[in-house]
Amino acid sequence: NVFKHLDRLVELYLDHNNLHTIGAHAFPPEIETLHLQYNRLTFKSNLIISGYTAISEDENYTQSLSGLNNLKYLKLEHNLIETLYMDWAINLPKLEELDLSFNHINYLFDGNLQFLQENLRVNLQNNQITLIELRNLEIYTQNVTKRSPVKVELGSNPLNCNCVILDLVKLLKDNSKIRNAIEFDVSELKCSRPETLRGKDVTKLDPYSLLCKLDDENTQKQRCPENCDCEVRPIDHAILVNCSNAALTSVPVLPNPVNIGMKHIELDLSNNYIDELPDRTKVIGYNNVSRLFMDHNNLSRLHAMNIPQNIQLMTLNNNNLEWMNETVLRQLNQTNSLEKLYLSENSWKCDCSTIEFLNYVQSQYRKIGDLNKIMCENGEQLSKMTTDDFCPKENTVVILIAVLVALFGVAIAIAALLYLKFSQEIKVWLFAKGWCLWLITEDDLDEDKKYDAFISFSQRDEDLVAEYLVPELESGEYPYKLCIHFRDWIVGDMIADQVMRSVAESRKTIVILSPNFLQSVWGKAEFRQAHQTAMQEGRSKVILILYGDIGDISKLDPELQTYLSTNTYLTWGDQWFWRKLRYAL
């Protein structure tokens, strides 16, 4: 009560003293300016930091400055204060300036900033603030009506730029949700930690660079794999697991991101001795991997189940891979999330058995991050190769005309002249008699055909036709024109008529003989029509592709038994399948 009776006291200088404590009700309520700078004041309150969250054990009220309803300027710079107290924000209604610069405040959270005053300037510069957590600031300020915002100056503090300050960084980029309540001045606020961000201006921070350790000394059960370094990145709910250069021979058990509020894992396994990736269903956390760095390992084989379902990036370069089978390539094609794939510095085989790998690389070239660096084991650049380079065609051309000319001379020359002059009449006559049909090519007989081939198949096998046969045969150096019922049939026509028309208008009929086909009434009808047409014309028009296990041939329809026992057919999966099919066409 030392100043109790000074009812006209409006400004009081107590600066540059050795004050440690100020009792309750020490100042008269009329006072407007208090100079308490350069003392040893603490207004002590216990503040505990546990993990990432501050917990106040009391109400954070000082009581020393309560009842000063006219106080406008509170000068507290150069003291030993360690926190902001609630009564400064609530019980000093006319406060316009609160100077707390050059104190020992080391932590700031949203609960400290619930100021009710208008036109208030809070100076927190040159403190020891390392962490600023504003997770709930939007909630605290959402009911603030239009007013002049509180200005909080934060410059020249040794900020630890980890994931705790994410909300501050986001608010600095877009303060629209709090602009009526608080305005932050962060000039000269730079990172002091971590080392990678030291000296970085907080306004220029990338939210993706703000990380926190997954485990610390207070974590009871360590979640990070042994010899690995794990961090969390809240901006995209990611766990970063760095196991590079750890001398690993297998993929370790990973933390489950769902258990800690995260969604996916970025896993760095580069520069190890791993020769095989795990089944995504059997190793905890592996199926949550979105970015996998597997370069510089001993990986020699890859299976479809090794590929996480939502993978975005895979680095498989600098391994011992030689080929990828069809199921792996299909899995990669079906993984819509995949953005980048690195494959260079492997011993890729480039022969007839790996043509599907070439097709994948060339069709997905935008996703291959090191396309121009992928080399075959023979040193050829894969991106510049063609299917003919992978699987060269045999030179089977026989110069028959030259031999015949040498043997028969003038007689053949005369016959050739007659044939050239009356070729059409000769072909029609020979065909009608059934003689010398070898002189009549299928191109001559089929030149009026609308399609190169009609594909007959069960609707249940549509994926095989739509995803493999059609794209392969209708593209390439010699594309074919195909008749497919779901694309080319006329809506509303009788199915039987459409079958007959499709067979008649096609040079060949390709039949996908599968267990599904054998159960299809219309499939058998299509085969029967094609077979009868071929018998009438006396030449082979049916190309049979065996797809799946059809069981005992002796139990099939008589026509199918006869055809299979007297004709050759193709088998899906044969390494020469595509070459044989194009030859048959």
Side-chain angles (χ1 to χ4, degrees), residues 189-331:
L189 181 59
K190 301 181 185 298
C191 299
S192 66
R193 288 184 294 166
E195 192 62 35
T196 54
L197 297 176
R198 181 186 291 275
K200 185 89 169 181
D201 193 312
V202 72
T203 61
K204 297 180 181 179
L205 285 174
D206 180 357
Y208 284 86
S209 67
L210 304 177
L211 313 174
C212 286
K213 291 291 185 182
L214 176 64
D215 300 318
D216 57 27
E217 62 276 5
N218 297 319
T219 305
Q220 293 182 350
K221 184 178 179 181
Q222 298 295 307
R223 295 161 292 190
C224 190
E226 188 177 357
N227 298 323
C228 300
D229 183 40
C230 299
E231 296 174 301
V232 294
R233 187 174 63 203
I235 185 66
D236 62 341
H237 305 284
I239 301 177
L240 279 57
V241 180
N242 185 355
C243 298
S244 61
N245 298 287
L248 297 177
T249 57
S250 62
V251 178
V253 175
L254 303 172
N256 189 337
V258 178
N259 292 343
I260 55 175
M262 297 290 121
K263 294 181 179 178
H264 61 103
I265 295 174
E266 293 188 6
L267 178 59
D268 189 348
L269 295 170
S270 59
N271 292 288
N272 282 290
Y273 304 102
I274 301 171
D275 59 7
E276 187 173 11
L277 288 172
D279 186 317
R280 63 174 179 252
T281 63
K282 295 181 179 179
V283 174
I284 295 175
Y286 183 70
N287 200 34
N288 298 106
V289 172
S290 61
R291 295 168 67 87
L292 176 61
F293 299 89
M294 261 298 294
D295 52 283
H296 295 87
N297 274 278
N298 297 332
L299 195 63
S300 58
R301 56 187 177 275
L302 191 67
H303 304 290
M305 293 302 290
N306 298 150
I307 303 172
Q309 286 183 317
N310 297 308
I311 193 70
Q312 298 174 6
L313 177 145
M314 288 182 74
T315 64
L316 300 176
N317 51 295
N318 295 87
N319 277 279
N320 298 325
L321 293 169
E322 296 182 349
W323 65 294
M324 289 185 181
N325 63 36
E326 188 175 333
T327 58
V328 172
L329 298 174
R330 187 183 301 117
Q331 178 67 34

Side-chain angles (χ1 to χ4, degrees), residues 341-583:
L341 181 63
Y342 292 82
L343 300 169
S344 63
E345 301 299 331
N346 283 286
S347 302
W348 296 111
K349 287 186 177 179
C350 299
D351 56 27
C352 297
S353 64
T354 58
I355 286 181
E356 291 300 321
F357 175 64
L358 173 67
N359 293 336
Y360 173 79
V361 171
Q362 292 183 342
S363 64
Q364 301 294 331
Y365 67 93
R366 290 186 179 88
K367 294 182 178 180
I368 310 300
D370 52 356
L371 178 65
N372 294 328
K373 295 181 180 180
I374 303 176
M375 299 293 181
C376 297
E377 59 182 354
N378 61 7
E380 293 288 332
Q381 186 174 328
L382 186 141
S383 63
K384 295 182 178 180
M385 299 182 73
T386 65
T387 53
D388 288 341
D389 296 326
F390 265 51
C391 200
K393 296 179 179 178
E394 294 85 1
N395 183 13
T396 59
V397 178
V398 178
I399 312 176
L400 181 60
I401 297 177
V403 175
L404 292 175
V405 169
L407 293 175
F408 300 105
V410 177
I412 295 300
I414 295 172
L417 290 173
L418 292 173
Y419 180 78
L420 289 174
K421 186 172 182 178
F422 305 105
S423 61
Q424 189 64 33
E425 292 82 352
I426 293 173
K427 289 177 183 178
V428 173
W429 185 78
L430 288 174
F431 184 74
K433 294 293 186 180
W435 296 345
C436 300
L437 293 180
W438 57 273
L439 289 174
I440 306 170
T441 66
E442 290 195 26
D443 286 342
D444 294 324
L445 296 175
D446 297 333
E447 61 183 356
D448 62 337
K449 300 293 187 183
K450 184 177 180 180
Y451 301 103
D452 292 311
F454 164 55
I455 301 182
S456 173
F457 61 94
S458 166
Q459 189 171 359
R460 294 180 180 178
D461 298 326
E462 185 174 317
D463 289 348
L464 173 69
V465 175
E467 296 182 12
Y468 294 97
L469 292 181
V470 173
E472 174 69 22
L473 295 178
E474 290 191 342
S475 62
E477 186 177 359
Y478 301 105
Y480 294 95
K481 186 174 182 181
L482 305 176
C483 177
I484 313 296
H485 70 76
F486 61 75
R487 182 185 67 187
D488 300 308
W489 278 12
I490 300 172
V491 177
D493 277 14
M494 296 291 292
I495 295 179
D497 294 341
Q498 304 229 48
V499 170
M500 296 179 63
R501 184 166 56 249
S502 297
V503 172
E505 292 181 347
S506 302
R507 294 175 56 246
K508 301 281 187 179
T509 297
I510 299 174
V511 176
I512 310 300
L513 185 58
S514 69
N516 295 324
F517 183 88
L518 295 176
Q519 297 176 8
S520 171
V521 174
W522 288 113
K524 294 177 183 178
E526 291 170 0
F527 170 78
R528 190 174 297 109
Q529 179 64 37
H531 187 50
Q532 290 175 357
T533 302
M535 295 291 289
Q536 291 171 2
E537 295 184 9
R539 58 197 180 100
S540 176
K541 285 180 63 71
V542 180
I543 301 173
L544 205 63
I545 297 176
L546 196 60
Y547 181 56
D549 185 7
I550 61 172
D552 188 355
I553 295 179
S554 63
K555 296 181 180 180
L556 300 179
D557 288 348
E559 286 178 309
L560 279 172
Q561 288 186 46
T562 302
Y563 187 90
L564 289 171
S565 61
T566 58
N567 294 272
T568 58
Y569 51 86
L570 305 181
T571 301
W572 175 254
D574 187 335
Q575 66 174 350
W576 296 91
F577 174 79
W578 291 113
R579 295 187 64 191
K580 290 179 179 179
L581 179 57
R582 287 186 175 274
Y583 178 78

